[in-house]
């Protein structure tokens, strides 16, 4: 055995100075007291933690960071962007403007509340910090027009919605944040199911660690992310890690820009660092996928973060995560001067361009009357190729996971397909709470792929002939649509508030009211935007853009 190296220490993720712009939430519940040895201690009351959490969860449901909004605007201004890229970016900016009114959240999936905190050694609380933080989550979700998505497991098979969006994921660390013993710093996130489901872990080996193999690997895996999580994405890739779970957690933090101030080179202290060169190359790789901002183009990703971590010699975990168009996170801090929260953009209208839809997209938009019989609707759709932009007006039936499972049970028992699924297009979605005076709460599409297993059975029984949701689908859906004359239409993932305000005119429950947002609904829509993704001839827009084509490695 060789002699041991001298002791040296560096944190695994050494971050630089905090450049965040903060706003004061309150100075109540915070005090400074004298302690032994002349030390000064910051005392934080539970009410201060609750107030900060409630305010943070409100803000990230309605506001975005200015840098994110500027990236959306840059897509509109980029002459190399596709018309569909620009159309999606404009719709997302309009959505942000509506959500900033504080009534409709930017996305109907208002997410799992995730809170990470670092408490300095001179910060004193009553010790029940996670409970106080959870109370703030409860206050935000029960008082605002947010959706309850958390299911309590009652048995291994039975679940029930908790009715409050609790539990939250709260992780607290004993660590002087930025070297300040009298500070308490936080990262608040709301993570929807769409983007959370696009977190991936791959257990690789040393063989991956060369430029050519790495780029081949990333092209294959990144294409598989698809569009179900509402691009353009903030993409994070972590290579290495002291454990699989640490790699995944680091990817989540990196996707939230929390690790932007990492060093940009490594050292023998084995800390993590960002590889800026590889970030640029991966971003260019995604530009060439053709997937774009959901329906073809360059803007699959806004940006890329690549973090290299130390690893055990026998392991090489690779973690991939995204933050979606609902880029919901904010940092916060409690110091002797008060309770502070990251200042998000409250006037997103300043990022809107002075252009019309016609300026953005000269391609034909096909108007589809959903009041017509289903056979006539399908005959109209059959005239146009995949990627055709549509404007839908008329009735839609809304059904998602649990409703599909219940209808499948009825078919298995020999019952007929419900007439509403034979007569109408089906929209995979689940609304947030409806504000007073509105026809609907935020009501964007859910991930289509979760319903793939039902499509052939439903179409064979005469239902689900036209489906509307977000994201790409499996080959079995394409084959079923070709066999049964069906269509899958892609809706823009992300602009749930705009759809609720501008497109959804009436909402009523058709069946299973006890399921809450998972009930079967009937809605009336007007000029609802969509694209033909899968047609009745066996064409799938995403089939080509998900095939790896890279033949050269990293330069």
């Amino acid at each position: 055995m060789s002699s041991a190296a001298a002791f040296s220490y560096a944190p695994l993720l050494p971050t630089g100075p905090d450049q965040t712009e903060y706003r004061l939430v309150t100075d109540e519940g915070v005090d400074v007291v004298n302690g032994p040895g002349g030390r000064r201690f910051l005392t934080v009351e539970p009410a201060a933690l609750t107030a900060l959490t409630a305010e943070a969860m409100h803000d990230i449901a309605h506001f975005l960071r200015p840098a994110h909004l500027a990236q959306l605007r840059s897509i509109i201004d980029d002459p190399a962007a596709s018309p569909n890229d620009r159309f999606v970016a404009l719709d997302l900016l309009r959505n942000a403007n509506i959500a900033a009114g504080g009534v409709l959240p930017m996305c109907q999936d208002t997410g799992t509340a995730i809170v990470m905190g670092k408490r300095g050694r001179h910060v004193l609380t009553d010790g029940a910090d996670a409970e106080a933080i959870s109370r703030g989550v409860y206050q935000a979700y029960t008082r605002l027009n947010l959706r309850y998505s958390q299911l309590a497991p009652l048995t291994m098979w039975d679940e029930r919605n908790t009715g409050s969006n609790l539990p939250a994921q709260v992780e607290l660390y004993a660590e002087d944040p930025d070297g300040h013993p009298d500070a308490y710093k936080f990262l608040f996130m709301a993570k929807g199911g769409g983007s959370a489901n696009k977190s991936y872990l791959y257990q690789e080996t040393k063989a991956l660690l060369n430029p050519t193999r790495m780029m081949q690997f990333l092209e294959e895996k990144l294409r598989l992310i698809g569009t179900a999580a509402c691009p353009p994405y903030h993409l994070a890739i972590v290579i290495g890690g002291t454990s699989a779970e640490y790699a995944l957690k680091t990817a989540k933090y990196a996707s939230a820009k929390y690790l932007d101030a990492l060093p940009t080179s490594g050292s023998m202290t084995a800390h993590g660092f960002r590889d800026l060169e590889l970030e640029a190359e991966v971003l260019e790789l995604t530009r060439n996928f053709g997937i774009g901002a959901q329906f073809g183009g360059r803007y699959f990703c806004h940006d890329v973060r690549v973090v290299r971590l130390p690893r055990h010699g026998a392991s090489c975990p690779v973690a991939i995560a995204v933050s979606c168009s609902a880029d919901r996170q904010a940092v916060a801090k409690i110091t002797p001067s008060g309770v502070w929260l990251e200042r998000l953009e409250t006037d997103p209208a300043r990022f809107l361009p002075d252009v019309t839809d016609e300026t953005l997209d000269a391609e034909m938009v096909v108007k589809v009357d959903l009041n017509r019989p289903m056979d006539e609707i399908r005959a109209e759709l059959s005239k146009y190729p995949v990627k055709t932009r549509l404007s839908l007006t008329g009735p839609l039936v809304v059904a998602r996971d649990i409703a599909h499972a219940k209808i499948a049970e009825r078919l298995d028992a020999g019952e007929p397909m419900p007439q509403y699924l034979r007569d109408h297009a089906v929209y995979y979605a689940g609304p947030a709470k409806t504000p007073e005076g509105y026809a609907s709460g935020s009501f964007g599409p859910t991930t289509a792929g979760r319903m793939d297993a039902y499509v052939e059975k439903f179409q064979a029984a005469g239902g689900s002939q036209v489906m509307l949701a977000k994201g790409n689908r499996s080959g079995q859906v394409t084959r079923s649509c070709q066999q049964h004359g069906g269509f899958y239409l892609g809706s823009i993932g992300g602009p749930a508030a705009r759809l609720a305000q501008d497109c959804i005119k009436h909402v009523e429950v058709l069946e299973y009211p006890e399921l809450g947002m998972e009930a079967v609904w009937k809605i009336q829509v007007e000029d609802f935007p969509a694209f033909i993704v899968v047609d009745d001839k066996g064409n799938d827009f995403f089939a080509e853009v998900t095939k790896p084509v890279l033949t050269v490695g990293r330069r």
Side-chain angles (χ1 to χ4, degrees):
M1 295 288 291
S2 60
S3 59
F7 174 80
S8 62
Y9 173 79
L12 273 175
L13 297 171
T15 54
D18 185 359
Q19 304 293 333
T20 307
E21 181 182 354
Y22 291 95
R23 65 178 182 86
L24 181 66
V25 175
T26 182
D27 57 7
E28 296 181 1
V30 178
D31 197 8
V32 177
V33 298
N34 293 319
R39 289 178 292 178
R40 304 272 286 172
F41 288 84
L42 175 67
T43 63
V44 179
E45 297 296 327
L49 293 171
T50 298
L52 173 60
T53 303
E55 188 79 359
M57 300 315 295
H58 166 275
D59 280 14
I60 63 178
H62 292 283
F63 307 130
L64 291 158
R65 286 171 166 161
H68 175 87
L69 294 164
Q71 287 175 309
L72 286 172
R73 174 57 189 269
S74 70
I75 296 173
I76 297 172
D77 294 337
D78 182 1
S82 72
N84 285 346
D85 278 339
R86 294 196 291 272
F87 177 71
V88 169
L90 179 61
D91 223 34
L92 292 172
L93 280 175
R94 288 170 170 165
N95 188 70
N97 196 53
I98 293 167
V103 178
L104 293 166
M106 69 182 72
C107 180
Q108 81 286 344
D109 184 350
T110 47
T112 298
I114 300 172
V115 185
M116 187 272 286
K118 296 179 179 180
R119 189 174 77 180
R121 66 186 185 276
H122 290 174
V123 177
L124 303 178
T125 69
D126 69 353
D129 297 19
E131 180 178 351
I133 290 167
S134 295
R135 186 176 295 276
V137 172
Y138 173 86
Q139 290 181 2
Y141 277 83
T142 55
R143 295 175 183 178
L144 301 172
N145 298 309
L146 309 184
R147 196 176 86 183
Y148 308 142
S149 299
Q150 305 307 306
L151 302 178
L154 304 181
T155 70
M156 181 60 71
W157 322 117
D158 299 321
E159 300 172 305
R160 185 174 301 168
N161 195 298
T162 62
S164 63
N165 215 57
L166 292 178
Q169 179 179 319
V170 182
E171 300 179 2
L172 303 175
Y173 299 90
E175 178 180 331
D176 289 353
D178 302 326
H180 297 291
D182 59 349
Y184 204 160
K185 300 194 75 172
F186 301 89
L187 171 64
F188 292 94
M189 303 179 71
K191 197 72 174 172
S195 61
N197 292 345
K198 296 303 178 180
S199 298
Y200 294 105
L201 173 70
Y202 301 97
Q203 295 285 18
E204 296 298 315
T205 68
K206 167 67 176 173
L208 183 68
L209 299 180
N210 69 79
T212 298
R213 177 65 189 121
M214 179 63 72
M215 293 300 282
Q216 292 170 342
F217 170 86
L218 289 176
E219 182 184 20
E220 175 189 348
K221 302 307 182 186
L222 296 180
R223 285 178 181 272
L224 294 177
I225 294 174
T227 60
C230 309
Y233 298 128
H234 301 284
L235 172 66
I237 301 165
V238 174
I239 299 159
T242 50
S243 64
E245 64 270 23
Y246 193 81
L248 282 166
K249 184 178 294 188
T250 302
K252 179 177 288 186
Y253 292 161
S255 73
K257 307 296 184 71
Y258 186 74
L259 302 177
D260 274 11
L262 283 177
T264 56
S265 61
S267 75
M268 285 305 295
T269 58
H271 58 75
F273 64 90
R274 285 179 59 188
D275 186 327
L276 302 184
E277 181 183 355
L278 187 54
E279 288 177 2
E281 292 179 11
V282 173
L283 180 60
E284 186 59 26
L285 178 71
T286 67
R287 293 279 193 260
N288 295 322
F289 284 173
I291 299 173
Q294 306 189 29
F295 301 103
R298 288 170 47 82
Y299 282 93
F300 186 61
C301 294
H302 283 303
D303 47 42
V304 177
R305 298 293 181 268
V306 177
V307 177
R308 181 68 158 89
L309 292 178
R311 68 183 184 93
H312 184 283
S315 303
C316 185
V318 177
I320 297 173
V322 297
S323 184
C324 66
S325 59
D327 188 41
R328 293 172 294 190
Q329 57 264 324
V331 295
K333 62 182 180 180
I334 302 177
T335 68
S337 61
V339 179
W340 300 85
L341 180 61
E342 181 177 357
R343 186 183 299 279
L344 302 179
E345 180 58 65
T346 58
D347 182 25
R350 67 188 181 91
F351 293 94
L352 282 168
D354 295 324
V355 296
T356 64
D357 286 357
E358 289 72 23
T359 305
L360 283 174
D361 188 357
E363 296 180 2
M364 178 177 61
V365 178
V366 176
K367 293 185 177 295
V368 178
D369 182 2
L370 298 175
N371 292 290
R372 295 160 65 186
M374 179 53 63
D375 286 346
E376 293 185 17
I377 294 172
R378 289 193 291 164
E380 178 68 15
L381 294 174
S382 191
K383 299 175 183 177
Y384 304 100
V386 293
K387 211 168 74 168
T388 298
R389 184 175 150 199
L390 309 173
S391 176
L392 310 178
T393 297
L396 288 168
V397 166
V398 180
R400 46 179 278 159
D401 305 62
I402 297 178
H404 274 70
K406 286 184 173 293
I407 293 168
E409 291 174 359
R410 289 158 59 174
L411 295 178
D412 290 341
E415 298 180 33
M417 171 64 65
Q419 194 64 35
Y420 54 73
L421 279 183
R422 297 174 64 91
D423 293 342
H424 302 294
V426 59
Y427 179 38
Y428 302 158
K433 285 184 280 188
T434 301
E436 185 175 352
Y438 285 72
S440 167
S442 291
F443 210 158
T446 199
T447 302
R450 297 205 307 272
M451 267 54 74
D452 283 5
Y454 301 104
V455 172
E456 202 285 327
K457 176 183 290 189
F458 281 28
Q459 290 189 336
S464 296
Q465 298 297 329
V466 176
M467 302 162 285
L468 175 66
K470 67 173 180 175
N472 47 301
R473 308 200 71 167
S474 63
Q476 65 184 1
V477 173
T478 303
R479 292 188 294 272
S480 182
C481 286
Q482 184 176 18
Q483 179 182 354
H484 298 288
F487 294 84
Y488 167 55
L489 312 181
S491 176
I492 301 172
R498 195 191 79 76
L499 293 175
Q501 176 176 283
D502 298 340
C503 301
I504 299 175
K505 303 303 180 182
H506 179 74
V507 177
E508 61 181 291
V509 176
L510 281 183
E511 196 170 15
Y512 305 123
E514 70 277 7
L515 298 181
M517 68 93 176
E518 291 262 12
V520 177
W521 308 78
K522 185 177 182 180
I523 65 175
Q524 292 287 333
V525 301
E526 184 177 300
D527 293 328
F528 193 108
F531 296 79
I532 299 175
V533 176
V534 176
D535 67 13
D536 58 347
K537 304 171 189 67
N539 299 308
D540 176 3
F541 162 66
F542 287 110
E544 289 303 315
V545 297
T546 54
K547 292 179 181 177
V549 296
L550 186 70
T551 57
V552 295
R554 182 180 175 184
R555 294 187 300 274

